[in-house]
Amino acid sequence: MTEGQRKIAFVVCLTTMLLAVLDQNIVSAVTVPVVQDLDPAHGIDRVPWLISAFALASTAVLPLYGKLCDTLGARRVFLSAVAAFLVGSALCGAAQSMEQLIAFRAIQGIGGGGLMSVTMVVIAQLKAGTPADGSDGAGKGRGGNGGAGIGGLVAGAGMALGPLLGGVLADHADWRWVFYVNLPIGLAVLAAAAAVLKLPRHHGTRHRIDFLGAGLAAAFSTSVLLVTEWGGKEYAWGSPTVLGLITASALLLGLFVWRQATAAEPVLPLSLFRIPVLRISFALQALIGTALMGSMIYVIIYLQLVRGIAATHASLFLLPMAAGISVIGVVTGKLTARGWPQKTFIVAGTAVSAAAMGILATLGTDTSLWIVGTALLLLGLGFGQLLGQLIQLTQESAPPRQLGVATTGIRFFQSLGGALGASLFGTVLARVYEAKGPGGSASRIAALSGEAHTQAIGAFVTSVDTVFACAAGAMVVALLLAIRLRVPRP
Protein backbone atom coordinates (compact mmCIF):
# COMPACT_ATOMS: atom_id res chain seq x y z
CA MET A 1 0.00 0.00 0.00
CA THR A 2 1.14 3.52 -0.73
CA GLU A 3 1.27 6.08 2.05
CA GLY A 4 -1.83 7.77 0.62
CA GLN A 5 -3.74 4.48 0.57
CA ARG A 6 -2.68 3.79 4.14
CA LYS A 7 -4.00 7.18 5.32
CA ILE A 8 -7.32 6.60 3.55
CA ALA A 9 -7.51 3.16 5.15
CA PHE A 10 -7.03 4.64 8.63
CA VAL A 11 -9.86 7.10 7.96
CA VAL A 12 -12.02 4.18 6.79
CA CYS A 13 -11.23 2.32 10.01
CA LEU A 14 -12.08 5.27 12.24
CA THR A 15 -15.32 5.81 10.29
CA THR A 16 -16.22 2.15 10.77
CA MET A 17 -15.55 2.36 14.52
CA LEU A 18 -17.69 5.50 14.72
CA LEU A 19 -20.45 3.73 12.79
CA ALA A 20 -20.35 0.87 15.30
CA VAL A 21 -20.60 3.21 18.30
CA LEU A 22 -23.29 5.29 16.60
CA ASP A 23 -25.49 2.27 16.02
CA GLN A 24 -25.20 1.15 19.62
CA ASN A 25 -26.49 4.53 20.82
CA ILE A 26 -28.77 5.83 18.08
CA VAL A 27 -31.58 3.36 18.81
CA SER A 28 -31.99 4.64 22.38
CA ALA A 29 -33.35 7.95 21.07
CA VAL A 30 -36.17 6.38 19.06
CA THR A 31 -37.48 3.65 21.34
CA VAL A 32 -40.65 5.61 22.17
CA PRO A 33 -41.49 6.43 18.49
CA VAL A 34 -40.75 2.80 17.53
CA VAL A 35 -43.07 1.51 20.24
CA GLN A 36 -45.85 3.95 19.30
CA ASP A 37 -45.62 2.92 15.66
CA LEU A 38 -45.10 -0.84 15.83
CA ASP A 39 -46.56 -2.01 19.15
CA PRO A 40 -48.19 0.64 21.36
CA ALA A 41 -49.72 -2.03 23.61
CA HIS A 42 -46.63 -4.02 24.62
CA GLY A 43 -43.67 -2.33 22.95
CA ILE A 44 -42.01 -0.90 26.08
CA ASP A 45 -41.77 -4.41 27.52
CA ARG A 46 -39.97 -5.56 24.38
CA VAL A 47 -37.48 -2.71 24.22
CA PRO A 48 -34.77 -4.77 26.00
CA TRP A 49 -34.89 -7.25 23.14
CA LEU A 50 -33.92 -4.52 20.67
CA ILE A 51 -30.68 -4.24 22.61
CA SER A 52 -30.27 -7.89 23.51
CA ALA A 53 -30.89 -9.24 19.99
CA PHE A 54 -28.10 -7.08 18.56
CA ALA A 55 -25.76 -7.74 21.49
CA LEU A 56 -26.35 -11.49 21.54
CA ALA A 57 -25.75 -11.87 17.82
CA SER A 58 -22.59 -9.79 18.12
CA THR A 59 -21.47 -11.92 21.06
CA ALA A 60 -22.12 -15.16 19.20
CA VAL A 61 -19.90 -14.25 16.23
CA LEU A 62 -17.28 -12.31 18.17
CA PRO A 63 -15.08 -15.32 19.06
CA LEU A 64 -14.98 -16.33 15.39
CA TYR A 65 -13.81 -13.11 13.81
CA GLY A 66 -10.18 -13.36 14.92
CA LYS A 67 -9.84 -16.92 13.60
CA LEU A 68 -11.52 -15.98 10.34
CA CYS A 69 -9.05 -13.12 9.90
CA ASP A 70 -6.19 -15.58 10.24
CA THR A 71 -7.61 -18.07 7.76
CA LEU A 72 -9.33 -15.85 5.18
CA GLY A 73 -7.46 -12.58 5.64
CA ALA A 74 -8.63 -9.45 7.46
CA ARG A 75 -9.68 -7.67 4.26
CA ARG A 76 -12.26 -10.28 3.28
CA VAL A 77 -13.69 -10.54 6.79
CA PHE A 78 -13.83 -6.75 7.15
CA LEU A 79 -15.76 -6.32 3.90
CA SER A 80 -18.10 -9.21 4.78
CA ALA A 81 -18.84 -7.81 8.26
CA VAL A 82 -19.68 -4.36 6.88
CA ALA A 83 -21.87 -5.91 4.17
CA ALA A 84 -23.79 -8.01 6.72
CA PHE A 85 -24.28 -4.95 8.89
CA LEU A 86 -25.72 -3.01 5.94
CA VAL A 87 -28.13 -5.82 5.03
CA GLY A 88 -29.35 -5.91 8.62
CA SER A 89 -29.73 -2.12 8.69
CA ALA A 90 -31.84 -2.15 5.52
CA LEU A 91 -34.07 -4.89 6.93
CA CYS A 92 -34.49 -3.04 10.25
CA GLY A 93 -35.62 0.06 8.41
CA ALA A 94 -38.25 -1.97 6.55
CA ALA A 95 -39.56 -3.83 9.65
CA GLN A 96 -43.35 -3.88 10.04
CA SER A 97 -43.59 -5.27 13.59
CA MET A 98 -41.57 -5.41 16.79
CA GLU A 99 -40.94 -9.11 16.17
CA GLN A 100 -39.48 -8.37 12.74
CA LEU A 101 -37.39 -5.48 14.07
CA ILE A 102 -35.94 -7.65 16.84
CA ALA A 103 -35.10 -10.43 14.36
CA PHE A 104 -33.50 -7.99 11.92
CA ARG A 105 -31.50 -6.40 14.76
CA ALA A 106 -29.98 -9.85 15.30
CA ILE A 107 -28.96 -9.99 11.62
CA GLN A 108 -27.53 -6.50 11.97
CA GLY A 109 -25.63 -7.67 15.06
CA ILE A 110 -23.89 -10.44 13.12
CA GLY A 111 -22.19 -7.76 11.05
CA GLY A 112 -21.97 -5.32 13.94
CA GLY A 113 -19.89 -7.79 15.93
CA GLY A 114 -17.15 -7.37 13.37
CA LEU A 115 -17.31 -3.60 12.91
CA MET A 116 -15.18 -2.96 15.99
CA SER A 117 -13.20 -6.20 16.43
CA VAL A 118 -12.18 -6.73 12.79
CA THR A 119 -11.41 -3.02 12.44
CA MET A 120 -8.93 -3.43 15.30
CA VAL A 121 -7.32 -6.25 13.29
CA VAL A 122 -7.08 -4.06 10.20
CA ILE A 123 -5.56 -1.17 12.17
CA ALA A 124 -3.00 -3.51 13.72
CA GLN A 125 -1.99 -4.80 10.29
CA LEU A 126 -1.85 -1.30 8.83
CA LYS A 127 0.49 -0.19 11.61
CA ALA A 128 2.68 -3.27 11.33
CA GLY A 129 2.54 -3.58 7.58
CA THR A 130 2.51 -7.36 8.00
CA PRO A 131 -0.18 -9.98 8.55
CA ALA A 132 -1.19 -10.93 12.06
CA ASP A 133 1.21 -13.42 13.56
CA GLY A 134 -1.31 -15.99 14.64
CA SER A 135 -2.55 -13.94 17.56
CA ASP A 136 -6.14 -14.20 16.32
CA GLY A 137 -5.85 -10.90 14.61
CA ALA A 138 -5.71 -8.73 17.66
CA GLY A 139 -2.35 -7.43 16.66
CA LYS A 140 0.52 -6.82 19.00
CA GLY A 141 -0.36 -3.30 20.02
CA ARG A 142 0.80 -3.53 23.61
CA GLY A 143 1.11 -0.31 25.42
CA GLY A 144 -1.39 1.34 23.09
CA ASN A 145 -2.02 4.38 25.28
CA GLY A 146 -2.70 6.55 22.29
CA GLY A 147 -5.25 3.98 21.11
CA ALA A 148 -7.12 4.31 24.39
CA GLY A 149 -7.33 8.08 23.88
CA ILE A 150 -8.60 7.72 20.31
CA GLY A 151 -11.05 5.07 21.49
CA GLY A 152 -12.35 7.52 24.10
CA LEU A 153 -12.83 10.23 21.49
CA VAL A 154 -14.63 7.87 19.11
CA ALA A 155 -16.85 6.53 21.92
CA GLY A 156 -17.66 10.04 23.09
CA ALA A 157 -18.42 11.26 19.58
CA GLY A 158 -20.63 8.25 18.90
CA MET A 159 -22.48 8.65 22.18
CA ALA A 160 -23.10 12.32 21.45
CA LEU A 161 -23.99 12.03 17.78
CA GLY A 162 -25.97 8.77 18.00
CA PRO A 163 -28.90 9.83 20.21
CA LEU A 164 -28.84 13.38 18.79
CA LEU A 165 -29.03 12.13 15.22
CA GLY A 166 -31.67 9.59 16.22
CA GLY A 167 -33.74 12.26 17.94
CA VAL A 168 -33.57 14.63 14.95
CA LEU A 169 -34.61 11.85 12.58
CA ALA A 170 -37.43 10.71 14.90
CA ASP A 171 -38.81 14.24 15.34
CA HIS A 172 -38.39 15.55 11.80
CA ALA A 173 -38.34 12.49 9.55
CA ASP A 174 -39.11 8.92 10.60
CA TRP A 175 -37.54 6.48 13.09
CA ARG A 176 -36.70 4.14 10.20
CA TRP A 177 -34.01 6.55 9.07
CA VAL A 178 -31.90 5.71 12.12
CA PHE A 179 -31.20 2.47 10.26
CA TYR A 180 -31.27 3.78 6.70
CA VAL A 181 -28.63 6.40 7.58
CA ASN A 182 -26.14 3.55 7.95
CA LEU A 183 -26.46 2.68 4.26
CA PRO A 184 -24.69 5.63 2.57
CA ILE A 185 -21.94 5.66 5.22
CA GLY A 186 -21.47 1.92 5.05
CA LEU A 187 -21.47 1.83 1.25
CA ALA A 188 -18.79 4.55 1.22
CA VAL A 189 -16.74 2.49 3.68
CA LEU A 190 -17.13 -0.61 1.49
CA ALA A 191 -16.11 1.22 -1.68
CA ALA A 192 -13.09 2.89 -0.08
CA ALA A 193 -11.94 -0.30 1.65
CA ALA A 194 -12.28 -2.35 -1.53
CA ALA A 195 -10.23 0.24 -3.40
CA VAL A 196 -7.35 0.90 -0.99
CA LEU A 197 -7.08 -2.03 1.44
CA LYS A 198 -4.32 -4.40 0.38
CA LEU A 199 -3.59 -6.56 3.39
CA PRO A 200 -1.37 -9.63 3.09
CA ARG A 201 -2.95 -12.95 3.95
CA HIS A 202 -1.57 -15.19 6.64
CA HIS A 203 0.33 -18.06 4.98
CA GLY A 204 1.53 -19.87 8.09
CA THR A 205 -0.21 -22.71 9.87
CA ARG A 206 -3.90 -22.76 9.12
CA HIS A 207 -5.98 -22.30 12.25
CA ARG A 208 -8.93 -24.46 13.17
CA ILE A 209 -12.11 -22.53 13.76
CA ASP A 210 -13.92 -23.70 16.88
CA PHE A 211 -17.45 -23.37 15.55
CA LEU A 212 -18.75 -25.80 18.18
CA GLY A 213 -17.31 -23.74 21.03
CA ALA A 214 -18.74 -20.53 19.62
CA GLY A 215 -22.12 -22.21 19.13
CA LEU A 216 -22.17 -23.48 22.71
CA ALA A 217 -21.29 -19.99 23.97
CA ALA A 218 -24.13 -18.47 21.95
CA ALA A 219 -26.60 -21.15 23.10
CA PHE A 220 -25.61 -20.62 26.74
CA SER A 221 -25.96 -16.85 26.41
CA THR A 222 -29.39 -17.18 24.80
CA SER A 223 -30.72 -19.59 27.41
CA VAL A 224 -29.58 -17.37 30.29
CA LEU A 225 -31.15 -14.37 28.54
CA LEU A 226 -34.44 -16.20 28.23
CA VAL A 227 -34.37 -17.06 31.93
CA THR A 228 -33.99 -13.39 32.87
CA GLU A 229 -36.59 -12.29 30.31
CA TRP A 230 -39.29 -14.92 30.94
CA GLY A 231 -38.77 -15.79 34.61
CA GLY A 232 -41.61 -14.45 36.76
CA LYS A 233 -43.12 -12.67 33.75
CA GLU A 234 -44.14 -14.90 30.87
CA TYR A 235 -43.74 -17.98 33.07
CA ALA A 236 -43.56 -18.57 36.82
CA TRP A 237 -40.09 -19.14 38.25
CA GLY A 238 -41.09 -22.66 39.22
CA SER A 239 -42.65 -23.49 35.85
CA PRO A 240 -41.25 -26.34 33.72
CA THR A 241 -40.23 -23.82 31.04
CA VAL A 242 -38.06 -21.68 33.31
CA LEU A 243 -36.65 -24.66 35.23
CA GLY A 244 -35.88 -26.32 31.90
CA LEU A 245 -34.04 -23.21 30.70
CA ILE A 246 -32.04 -23.05 33.94
CA THR A 247 -31.10 -26.73 33.53
CA ALA A 248 -30.20 -26.15 29.88
CA SER A 249 -28.04 -23.15 30.84
CA ALA A 250 -26.09 -25.21 33.38
CA LEU A 251 -25.67 -28.05 30.88
CA LEU A 252 -24.56 -25.74 28.07
CA LEU A 253 -22.07 -24.02 30.37
CA GLY A 254 -20.62 -27.40 31.31
CA LEU A 255 -20.36 -28.41 27.65
CA PHE A 256 -18.72 -25.10 26.77
CA VAL A 257 -16.13 -25.51 29.54
CA TRP A 258 -15.48 -29.10 28.39
CA ARG A 259 -15.07 -27.93 24.80
CA GLN A 260 -12.62 -25.21 25.78
CA ALA A 261 -10.59 -27.74 27.76
CA THR A 262 -10.39 -30.22 24.87
CA ALA A 263 -10.44 -28.13 21.67
CA ALA A 264 -7.19 -27.76 19.74
CA GLU A 265 -7.69 -24.00 19.43
CA PRO A 266 -10.50 -22.94 21.82
CA VAL A 267 -12.27 -19.63 21.41
CA LEU A 268 -11.70 -18.88 25.11
CA PRO A 269 -8.77 -20.90 26.54
CA LEU A 270 -9.31 -21.85 30.17
CA SER A 271 -5.64 -21.13 30.87
CA LEU A 272 -6.47 -17.41 30.70
CA PHE A 273 -8.52 -17.74 33.89
CA ARG A 274 -5.45 -18.89 35.78
CA ILE A 275 -4.01 -15.38 35.40
CA PRO A 276 -5.50 -13.27 38.25
CA VAL A 277 -5.40 -9.99 36.32
CA LEU A 278 -7.28 -11.49 33.38
CA ARG A 279 -9.79 -13.25 35.60
CA ILE A 280 -10.70 -10.01 37.37
CA SER A 281 -10.62 -7.99 34.14
CA PHE A 282 -13.12 -10.33 32.48
CA ALA A 283 -15.49 -9.99 35.45
CA LEU A 284 -15.05 -6.21 35.52
CA GLN A 285 -15.81 -5.86 31.82
CA ALA A 286 -18.97 -7.98 32.19
CA LEU A 287 -20.21 -5.82 35.09
CA ILE A 288 -19.44 -2.61 33.19
CA GLY A 289 -21.34 -3.90 30.15
CA THR A 290 -24.28 -4.83 32.37
CA ALA A 291 -24.46 -1.45 34.09
CA LEU A 292 -23.96 0.69 30.97
CA MET A 293 -25.97 -1.12 28.30
CA GLY A 294 -28.60 -2.31 30.75
CA SER A 295 -29.51 1.10 32.12
CA MET A 296 -28.62 3.97 29.77
CA ILE A 297 -31.59 3.43 27.48
CA TYR A 298 -33.90 4.19 30.41
CA VAL A 299 -32.50 7.71 30.80
CA ILE A 300 -33.92 8.60 27.39
CA ILE A 301 -37.21 6.82 28.11
CA TYR A 302 -37.49 8.66 31.46
CA LEU A 303 -36.94 12.04 29.83
CA GLN A 304 -39.46 11.40 27.06
CA LEU A 305 -42.13 9.50 28.93
CA VAL A 306 -42.01 11.15 32.37
CA ARG A 307 -40.77 14.64 31.60
CA GLY A 308 -42.45 14.99 28.20
CA ILE A 309 -39.22 16.03 26.42
CA ALA A 310 -39.05 15.50 22.66
CA ALA A 311 -36.62 12.91 21.31
CA THR A 312 -34.19 15.51 19.93
CA HIS A 313 -34.01 17.48 23.16
CA ALA A 314 -33.85 14.33 25.28
CA SER A 315 -30.81 13.15 23.36
CA LEU A 316 -29.02 16.41 24.19
CA PHE A 317 -28.84 15.26 27.80
CA LEU A 318 -26.28 12.64 26.75
CA LEU A 319 -23.89 15.35 25.55
CA PRO A 320 -22.39 15.85 29.06
CA MET A 321 -21.77 12.12 29.27
CA ALA A 322 -20.17 12.09 25.83
CA ALA A 323 -18.00 15.08 26.73
CA GLY A 324 -16.91 13.38 29.95
CA ILE A 325 -15.95 10.19 28.09
CA SER A 326 -13.99 12.08 25.42
CA VAL A 327 -12.08 14.39 27.75
CA ILE A 328 -11.22 11.85 30.42
CA GLY A 329 -10.34 9.26 27.78
CA VAL A 330 -7.64 11.52 26.34
CA VAL A 331 -6.40 12.56 29.80
CA THR A 332 -6.11 9.01 31.10
CA GLY A 333 -4.34 7.92 27.93
CA LYS A 334 -1.70 10.63 28.35
CA LEU A 335 -1.29 10.04 32.09
CA THR A 336 -0.93 6.30 31.57
CA ALA A 337 1.75 6.98 28.97
CA ARG A 338 3.61 9.02 31.61
CA GLY A 339 3.64 6.10 34.02
CA TRP A 340 0.45 6.50 36.02
CA PRO A 341 -0.76 3.04 37.10
CA GLN A 342 -3.80 1.73 35.27
CA LYS A 343 -5.32 0.48 38.51
CA THR A 344 -5.72 4.11 39.65
CA PHE A 345 -8.06 4.89 36.75
CA ILE A 346 -9.92 1.58 36.96
CA VAL A 347 -10.67 2.06 40.67
CA ALA A 348 -11.56 5.74 40.20
CA GLY A 349 -13.70 4.98 37.15
CA THR A 350 -15.77 2.30 38.88
CA ALA A 351 -16.21 4.50 41.98
CA VAL A 352 -17.37 7.57 40.01
CA SER A 353 -19.68 5.42 37.85
CA ALA A 354 -21.25 3.84 40.94
CA ALA A 355 -21.83 7.31 42.43
CA ALA A 356 -23.42 8.56 39.19
CA MET A 357 -25.75 5.56 39.03
CA GLY A 358 -26.64 6.19 42.66
CA ILE A 359 -27.70 9.76 41.80
CA LEU A 360 -29.82 8.52 38.89
CA ALA A 361 -31.49 6.08 41.28
CA THR A 362 -33.00 9.09 43.10
CA LEU A 363 -34.85 10.54 40.10
CA GLY A 364 -38.38 11.77 40.72
CA THR A 365 -41.16 13.19 38.60
CA ASP A 366 -39.87 16.74 39.16
CA THR A 367 -36.14 16.25 39.74
CA SER A 368 -34.10 19.19 38.46
CA LEU A 369 -32.84 18.47 34.96
CA TRP A 370 -29.51 19.97 36.05
CA ILE A 371 -29.15 17.04 38.43
CA VAL A 372 -29.81 14.63 35.56
CA GLY A 373 -27.15 16.36 33.43
CA THR A 374 -24.64 16.38 36.31
CA ALA A 375 -25.18 12.67 36.94
CA LEU A 376 -24.62 11.90 33.25
CA LEU A 377 -21.44 14.01 33.23
CA LEU A 378 -20.15 12.02 36.21
CA LEU A 379 -21.11 8.81 34.45
CA GLY A 380 -19.08 9.88 31.42
CA LEU A 381 -16.09 10.74 33.60
CA GLY A 382 -16.37 7.34 35.24
CA PHE A 383 -16.82 5.16 32.18
CA GLY A 384 -14.30 7.23 30.24
CA GLN A 385 -11.59 6.06 32.63
CA LEU A 386 -12.54 2.45 31.98
CA LEU A 387 -12.82 2.47 28.18
CA GLY A 388 -9.70 0.95 26.71
CA GLN A 389 -7.93 0.57 30.04
CA LEU A 390 -9.13 -2.98 30.71
CA ILE A 391 -8.47 -4.05 27.12
CA GLN A 392 -4.96 -2.60 27.30
CA LEU A 393 -4.37 -4.23 30.68
CA THR A 394 -5.56 -7.54 29.28
CA GLN A 395 -3.20 -7.28 26.32
CA GLU A 396 -0.28 -6.49 28.59
CA SER A 397 -1.05 -9.36 30.96
CA ALA A 398 -1.85 -12.08 28.43
CA PRO A 399 0.82 -14.48 27.14
CA PRO A 400 2.02 -13.35 23.68
CA ARG A 401 0.60 -16.45 21.98
CA GLN A 402 -2.83 -15.81 23.49
CA LEU A 403 -2.99 -12.07 22.95
CA GLY A 404 -5.76 -12.32 20.38
CA VAL A 405 -8.08 -14.67 22.23
CA ALA A 406 -7.59 -12.64 25.42
CA THR A 407 -8.64 -9.45 23.62
CA THR A 408 -11.59 -11.25 22.03
CA GLY A 409 -12.46 -12.76 25.40
CA ILE A 410 -12.78 -9.46 27.23
CA ARG A 411 -14.99 -8.09 24.46
CA PHE A 412 -17.07 -11.27 24.69
CA PHE A 413 -17.71 -10.71 28.38
CA GLN A 414 -18.59 -7.05 27.75
CA SER A 415 -21.11 -8.00 25.05
CA LEU A 416 -22.59 -10.78 27.16
CA GLY A 417 -22.89 -8.46 30.16
CA GLY A 418 -24.61 -5.84 28.05
CA ALA A 419 -27.11 -8.32 26.60
CA LEU A 420 -27.96 -9.82 29.97
CA GLY A 421 -28.12 -6.39 31.60
CA ALA A 422 -30.62 -5.12 29.05
CA SER A 423 -32.81 -8.18 29.54
CA LEU A 424 -32.51 -8.34 33.34
CA PHE A 425 -33.17 -4.63 33.88
CA GLY A 426 -36.11 -4.78 31.51
CA THR A 427 -37.59 -7.56 33.61
CA VAL A 428 -36.93 -5.61 36.82
CA LEU A 429 -38.67 -2.53 35.41
CA ALA A 430 -41.70 -4.55 34.28
CA ARG A 431 -42.01 -6.36 37.63
CA VAL A 432 -41.78 -3.18 39.72
CA TYR A 433 -44.22 -1.30 37.48
CA GLU A 434 -46.77 -4.09 37.65
CA ALA A 435 -46.53 -4.03 41.45
CA LYS A 436 -46.80 -0.22 41.78
CA GLY A 437 -48.79 0.83 38.71
CA PRO A 438 -52.53 1.04 38.00
CA GLY A 439 -52.45 -2.22 36.08
CA GLY A 440 -51.39 -3.17 32.59
CA SER A 441 -48.11 -2.62 30.82
CA ALA A 442 -45.91 0.47 31.01
CA SER A 443 -46.43 0.75 27.25
CA ARG A 444 -49.98 2.02 27.92
CA ILE A 445 -48.93 5.05 30.02
CA ALA A 446 -49.35 7.51 27.14
CA ALA A 447 -52.97 6.41 26.67
CA LEU A 448 -53.92 6.98 30.32
CA SER A 449 -55.35 10.18 31.75
CA GLY A 450 -56.23 11.77 35.07
CA GLU A 451 -55.40 9.97 38.29
CA ALA A 452 -54.50 6.76 36.48
CA HIS A 453 -51.87 8.60 34.43
CA THR A 454 -50.41 10.27 37.52
CA GLN A 455 -50.20 6.93 39.33
CA ALA A 456 -48.66 5.27 36.29
CA ILE A 457 -45.96 7.95 35.95
CA GLY A 458 -45.10 7.62 39.64
CA ALA A 459 -44.88 3.85 39.33
CA PHE A 460 -42.70 4.13 36.23
CA VAL A 461 -40.28 6.51 37.98
CA THR A 462 -40.02 4.05 40.87
CA SER A 463 -39.29 1.29 38.35
CA VAL A 464 -36.57 3.31 36.62
CA ASP A 465 -35.02 4.19 39.98
CA THR A 466 -34.88 0.48 40.81
CA VAL A 467 -33.09 -0.20 37.52
CA PHE A 468 -30.46 2.44 38.28
CA ALA A 469 -30.09 1.13 41.83
CA CYS A 470 -29.34 -2.31 40.39
CA ALA A 471 -26.79 -0.74 38.01
CA ALA A 472 -25.20 1.10 40.94
CA GLY A 473 -24.98 -2.21 42.81
CA ALA A 474 -23.22 -3.79 39.83
CA MET A 475 -20.69 -0.95 39.79
CA VAL A 476 -20.09 -1.31 43.56
CA VAL A 477 -19.22 -4.96 42.97
CA ALA A 478 -16.96 -3.83 40.12
CA LEU A 479 -15.26 -1.38 42.49
CA LEU A 480 -14.53 -4.14 44.99
CA LEU A 481 -13.02 -6.25 42.20
CA ALA A 482 -10.99 -3.30 40.92
CA ILE A 483 -9.49 -2.80 44.37
CA ARG A 484 -8.35 -6.44 44.31
CA LEU A 485 -6.46 -5.98 41.04
CA ARG A 486 -2.74 -6.68 41.40
CA VAL A 487 -1.24 -5.07 38.33
CA PRO A 488 2.41 -6.06 37.88
CA ARG A 489 4.80 -3.17 37.52
CA PRO A 490 6.57 -2.91 34.16
Side-chain angles (χ1 to χ4, degrees), residues 161-183:
L161 295 176
L164 181 60
L165 180 59
V168 170
L169 292 174
D171 288 342
H172 303 289
D174 188 273
W175 64 264
R176 299 179 186 278
W177 280 97
V178 305
F179 300 108
Y180 289 147
V181 75
N182 294 329
L183 301 182

Side-chain angles (χ1 to χ4, degrees), residues 136-202:
D136 294 348
K140 295 183 179 181
R142 294 175 181 250
N145 301 312
I150 293 176
L153 284 173
V154 172
M159 189 162 292
L161 295 176
L164 181 60
L165 180 59
V168 170
L169 292 174
D171 288 342
H172 303 289
D174 188 273
W175 64 264
R176 299 179 186 278
W177 280 97
V178 305
F179 300 108
Y180 289 147
V181 75
N182 294 329
L183 301 182
I185 302 174
L187 289 173
V189 166
L190 274 179
V196 304
L197 269 185
K198 300 177 182 179
L199 303 177
R201 292 185 59 182
H202 184 66

